[in-house]
Amino acid sequence: FFFQAEDGIRDKLVTGVQTCALPIYWVVQSASATVSGGVASWGAATDLSQSGRNAQDPQISLSSDGTHATAVWKLYKGPDVLVQSSSAVLGGVASWGAVTDLSQPGGDGFDPQVALSSDGTHATAVWYRDNGSSWIVQSASATVSGATASDRKSTRLNSSH
């Protein structure tokens, strides 16, 4: 897996997040590969984040058998920076589920991180967020079935100071 940033040159693939002096916008993408004889055969990249909005800081977590994945990133959406996620079933072409806002509007979310259970059925994301008066750490957990996450619960992990 890798994530690609878009800088107006769609055919330039890089590992990680790419920046440039005059970005049009950044988009989070995913691609998967099959490996045979030590050679990777990469499939086409799939956009995970919303086109036309800046998305940054992608993170991914895989199940222990590599068949499930959950990704998180931050997305600049209007006046807010939201933490978003998507989950996928892997194998051949990755089947990514709908994008979900994890953080709430009204305060910017930063540095999203994600962990996935070894069987890929439970995901937890954490990030820090400005609640208007202080920085707080928040989390969201979900049960993942296929490429769909449900029963999301958000929790504030620290108190305001």
Side-chain angles (χ1 to χ4, degrees), residues 102-104 127 138-141 152-156:
L102 299 181
S103 62
Q104 299 297 314
W127 62 93
Q138 292 189 305
S139 73
S141 295
R152 290 192 188 274
K153 296 179 179 31
S154 269
T155 305
R156 186 167 133 181

Side-chain angles (χ1 to χ4, degrees), residues 7 110 120 159:
D7 63 359
F110 293 100
S159 59

Side-chain angles (χ1 to χ4, degrees), residues 119-133:
D119 65 0
T121 60
H122 300 283
T124 298
V126 295
W127 62 93
Y128 66 93
R129 179 176 181 264
D130 177 8
N131 71 359
S133 62

Side-chain angles (χ1 to χ4, degrees), residues 23 27-28 37 52 59-60 91 101 104 137 150:
V27 63
V28 175
Q59 299 289 318
I60 191 167
D101 292 344
Q104 299 297 314
V137 175
S150 61

Side-chain angles (χ1 to χ4, degrees), residues 77-92:
K77 192 172 186 179
D80 299 308
V81 181
L82 298 178
V83 174
Q84 295 187 317
S85 74
S86 181
S87 295
V89 175
L90 309 176

